[in-house]
Amino acid sequence: MPLSDPAVRNAKPSAKPYKLTDGEGLYLLINNAGKYWRYDYRFQGKRKTLAFGVYPVITLADARDRRNQARKLIANGGDPGAIKQAKKQEERQLAANTFKAVALEWHKKQSVKWVPKNTARTLSLLERNIFPYIGSTPIAQVTPASLLSAVQKIEKRGNIETAHRSMQISGQIFRYAIATGRAQADLSLVLKGALTPVREKHHASITDPKKIKDLLLALEGYNGSFITLSALKLAPLLFVRPGELRHAEWSEIDFHAAEWRIAAGKMKMKAVHLVPLCKQALAVLRELKPLTGEGRYVFPGVRSYARPMSENTVNAALRRLGYDKNEMTGHGFRSMASTILHEQGWPHEAIERQLAHAERNKVSAAYNYAEHLPKRREMMQAWADYLDELKAGQSYTVA
């Protein structure tokens, strides 16, 4: 006899579990813990049981509806129990593959080739700007609209570059998810052009020969730390990035070969970089070596020789000499050299290689740290000689 709502509602637990049958395989299992809907059926000759939920969350009407759906599946050759388990497994996989979970997995793999500072900065960007909005969403279910909404919150704060960086990193995460079978599309490609373009910024630099002369003479007259003075003298001669200069190590300097070989891990482009050392640069290094040569760093910090000088040291020295941030920066020595060397007709490829800019041919990027080396040696010495001529007042024209 079919069950009624009052019969289900008034059923009480007894010493042993028992069943109240509704018919067509549906019954209510009652024990001390509660009342449970169950459905017994046969599939391919085997008896199986399917759980429908707990009363009163699942009412009698709900249980009957679920039984009828299961019967239709069986009639069409499906196994409702197997289908339910497959759905649960899919849900578990989705829960385990949230955007945050995949992002952290990607981050861990990528961090082996990053410097610690970049590793921490990338994770911080995700934790502050992306995870709070789509981190708990299965990555396969993240929509272009939800990703854009998260990134636009950064944009609305005025952090345009951070917004673009967040989109770029998200794209890398989606591509990793595609490669590992957990997503179907890189949503950052769909959203290309949706953010406000980044206004290109140039580091303040001096490129007028007469003003370069004044700058070089000002550097020579710096009366602060001798270590800082040495860094100021080398900056225009080597035109490496400020971070590369301050992290220079004595073990990387080969006085005999007149070379400074910077390891790939220190370079922005993650490739070994070779800096030919002109006679003037070697002279500065030889004068500095008795002071810091027993330590690791060529330019150690003020508080500890075990650490490199502060990233603000060179810029602070320039400010002390009267050059504000809109006039000259430590990074500006690179623009200075690039501008003048191009005007002097030196090969673009040699200049770009010496600046350690991105290698377009990525296949050869790992092997070309010595590319154009003879021409670069010649160029670096000619550049240093040109700067000496400027200081002596012998040359203001393009060679």
Side-chain angles (χ1 to χ4, degrees):
M1 182 177 179
L3 292 172
S4 64
D5 286 322
V8 173
R9 183 171 58 251
N10 296 326
K12 305 296 181 184
S14 64
K16 293 183 179 181
Y18 66 98
K19 302 177 182 178
L20 293 179
T21 302
D22 185 61
E24 298 181 316
L26 178 64
Y27 59 91
L28 188 68
L29 175 64
I30 304 167
N31 58 31
N32 289 327
K35 305 174 183 180
Y36 304 89
W37 293 110
R38 296 290 186 264
Y39 172 60
D40 287 344
Y41 67 99
R42 297 189 71 82
F43 185 79
Q44 295 181 346
K46 294 182 180 179
R47 182 181 178 279
K48 297 188 175 185
T49 299
L50 191 61
F52 283 161
V54 182
Y55 178 86
V57 176
I58 303 299
T59 66
L60 174 60
D62 292 334
R64 285 172 174 169
D65 183 57
R66 296 188 181 194
R67 175 193 60 194
N68 294 338
Q69 291 180 31
R71 285 169 59 83
K72 288 181 181 179
L73 282 174
I74 296 168
N76 290 321
D79 180 353
I83 294 172
K84 182 179 180 180
Q85 287 301 315
K87 186 176 181 181
K88 281 186 175 181
Q89 178 63 22
E90 182 181 358
E91 290 173 350
R92 283 194 292 267
Q93 288 179 346
L94 287 173
N97 292 313
T98 61
F99 182 90
K100 181 176 181 178
V102 176
L104 292 176
E105 185 180 316
W106 166 83
H107 181 267
K108 183 178 180 180
K109 288 181 177 292
Q110 296 300 313
S111 63
V112 299
K113 66 177 182 180
W114 291 340
V115 295
K117 185 176 180 179
N118 186 42
T119 299
R121 183 168 57 237
T122 301
L123 182 58
S124 176
L125 181 146
L126 288 167
E127 289 177 334
R128 287 183 291 107
N129 300 298
I130 303 298
F131 290 166
Y133 307 105
I134 62 173
S136 60
T137 305
I139 195 165
Q141 295 179 2
V142 175
T143 64
S146 61
L147 175 60
L148 181 60
S149 176
V151 178
Q152 282 182 330
K153 286 179 172 63
I154 312 168
E155 187 180 44
K156 289 175 182 177
R157 298 198 300 265
N159 299 330
I160 307 302
E161 292 185 4
T162 303
H164 279 269
R165 177 66 176 151
S166 298
M167 185 71 80
Q168 178 189 30
I169 291 173
S170 296
Q172 294 178 40
I173 294 167
F174 277 110
R175 291 192 290 277
Y176 174 72
I178 293 170
T180 54
R182 291 174 285 186
Q184 297 297 318
D186 175 3
L187 301 189
S188 69
L189 296 178
V190 178
L191 297 171
K192 190 174 183 179
L195 296 176
T196 303
V198 177
R199 180 178 296 177
E200 186 176 358
K201 292 182 179 180
H202 297 282
H203 294 281
S205 178
I206 294 173
T207 56
D208 178 80
K210 292 183 179 180
K211 293 183 178 180
I212 293 176
K213 173 188 175 181
D214 293 338
L215 172 63
L216 295 173
L217 292 176
L219 298 182
E220 294 280 358
Y222 180 76
N223 60 6
S225 161
F226 182 73
I227 296 174
T228 303
L229 172 61
S230 300
L232 289 171
K233 287 181 177 180
L234 284 176
L237 294 174
L238 306 181
F239 46 92
V240 292
R241 296 178 179 87
E244 295 157 7
L245 181 65
R246 72 187 188 90
H247 281 95
E249 300 181 32
W250 284 113
S251 62
E252 301 168 344
I253 307 296
D254 187 334
F255 284 96
H256 178 72
E259 293 175 354
W260 171 22
R261 184 169 300 200
I262 310 176
K266 290 186 175 183
M267 298 299 299
K268 182 178 180 181
M269 298 305 164
K270 302 304 175 189
V272 175
H273 184 50
L274 199 60
V275 182
L277 297 174
C278 60
K279 292 180 293 183
Q280 292 88 333
L282 288 169
V284 174
L285 289 168
R286 287 194 177 101
E287 194 174 9
L288 179 62
K289 199 170 194 305
L291 180 60
T292 68
E294 296 299 319
R296 174 183 177 184
Y297 292 105
V298 176
F299 307 105
V302 175
R303 296 180 181 177
S304 171
Y305 268 35
R307 297 170 63 89
M309 67 164 51
S310 164
E311 61 182 337
N312 296 318
T313 301
V314 170
N315 281 337
L318 288 169
R319 305 297 163 262
R320 184 173 172 179
L321 291 171
Y323 291 91
D324 66 36
K325 65 180 181 180
N326 296 317
E327 189 175 9
M328 187 62 188
T329 65
H331 212 288
F333 290 109
R334 291 166 58 79
S335 299
M336 173 196 293
S338 177
T339 300
I340 300 298
L341 288 171
H342 275 102
E343 289 177 354
Q344 291 179 347
W346 289 94
H348 173 75
E349 294 78 8
I351 297 171
E352 289 296 289
R353 190 68 197 90
Q354 196 54 55
L355 289 168
H357 281 163
E359 171 59 57
R360 292 186 178 182
N361 182 358
K362 293 185 179 180
V363 174
S364 65
Y367 307 99
N368 70 353
Y369 64 89
E371 188 178 9
H372 309 295
L373 185 56
K375 178 58 69 174
R376 287 194 283 137
R377 286 189 185 280
E378 179 187 354
M379 178 182 71
M380 296 294 279
Q381 186 60 59
W383 169 249
D385 293 341
Y386 170 73
L387 295 182
D388 280 348
E389 290 175 4
L390 282 182
K391 284 188 291 183
Q394 298 174 5
S395 175
Y396 290 111
T397 59
V398 176

